Amino acid sequence: MATEPVAVPVVVFGRNQALADELRRDGIEHAFGWVDDMPGLMHACDVLIQNAGGLTSLEAFAAGLPVVSYRCIPGHGQTNAAALDEAGLAAWIRDPADLGPVLAELLHGARGQAQRAAGLELHRSVPGPIPAIAARTGHQLPTASPRWAVAHGPS
């Protein structure tokens, strides 16, 4: 992001002290360890850049924050990025050269407005975000019997 001055980075690193030291050496001013008020921090930001696509993305959608998947971790990170991208909920950036232009679109363009609306709509849907994401991509969720429905014989 230093070469693409489209946005000011705000980084949350949890308890990763090595990352904290590296960020501070690189001049990142807004670097936070464990954050007790993630919704408040998200409301202060304009875009979320994440690499796993999990609950943090759902929190961002609820806050009306556009989401970018970038440098995704193998496995669930890449799978989530593909699903969110296909659903139009998050941009999946695979080429570092695309980071600046996509951020600009999300900050100032129709793409950002569309993502904000789609993310907020997920939390208005009755069944919740998982079925809503599946519906936006045209995928069917597997049906399974709930654990409590398993018969245990006569009591």
Side-chain angles (χ1 to χ4, degrees):
M1 287 192 58
T3 60
E4 297 286 346
V6 174
V8 175
V10 175
V11 182
V12 178
F13 54 82
R15 294 184 175 97
N16 186 339
Q17 192 56 48
L19 179 57
D21 295 342
E22 181 181 335
L23 291 168
R24 291 189 177 114
R25 275 193 309 274
D26 290 344
I28 303 295
E29 266 185 72
H30 307 288
F32 301 96
W34 193 259
V35 175
D36 291 328
D37 184 17
M38 186 61 82
L41 183 59
M42 285 189 179
H43 281 290
C45 294
D46 297 309
V47 175
L48 171 73
I49 301 174
Q50 58 79 36
N51 68 351
L55 291 176
T56 303
S57 294
L58 292 176
E59 287 178 293
F61 299 149
L65 194 60
V67 175
V68 172
S69 301
Y70 181 65
R71 295 179 62 187
C72 296
I73 58 177
H76 74 279
Q78 292 176 357
T79 301
N80 289 339
L84 294 173
D85 187 54
E86 183 181 339
L89 293 167
W92 185 10
I93 299 175
R94 295 169 187 87
D95 183 343
D98 294 336
L99 182 59
V102 171
L103 285 176
E105 281 181 59
L106 293 173
L107 289 167
H108 308 295
R111 188 174 187 178
Q113 292 172 351
Q115 271 198 23
R116 284 180 187 89
L120 288 169
E121 186 59 34
L122 283 179
H123 291 280
R124 290 187 190 106
S125 62
V126 175
I130 303 304
I133 291 170
R136 288 181 63 90
T137 62
H139 291 89
Q140 292 281 348
L141 289 177
T143 56
S145 299
R147 289 183 188 168
W148 52 265
V150 175
H152 294 287
S155 11

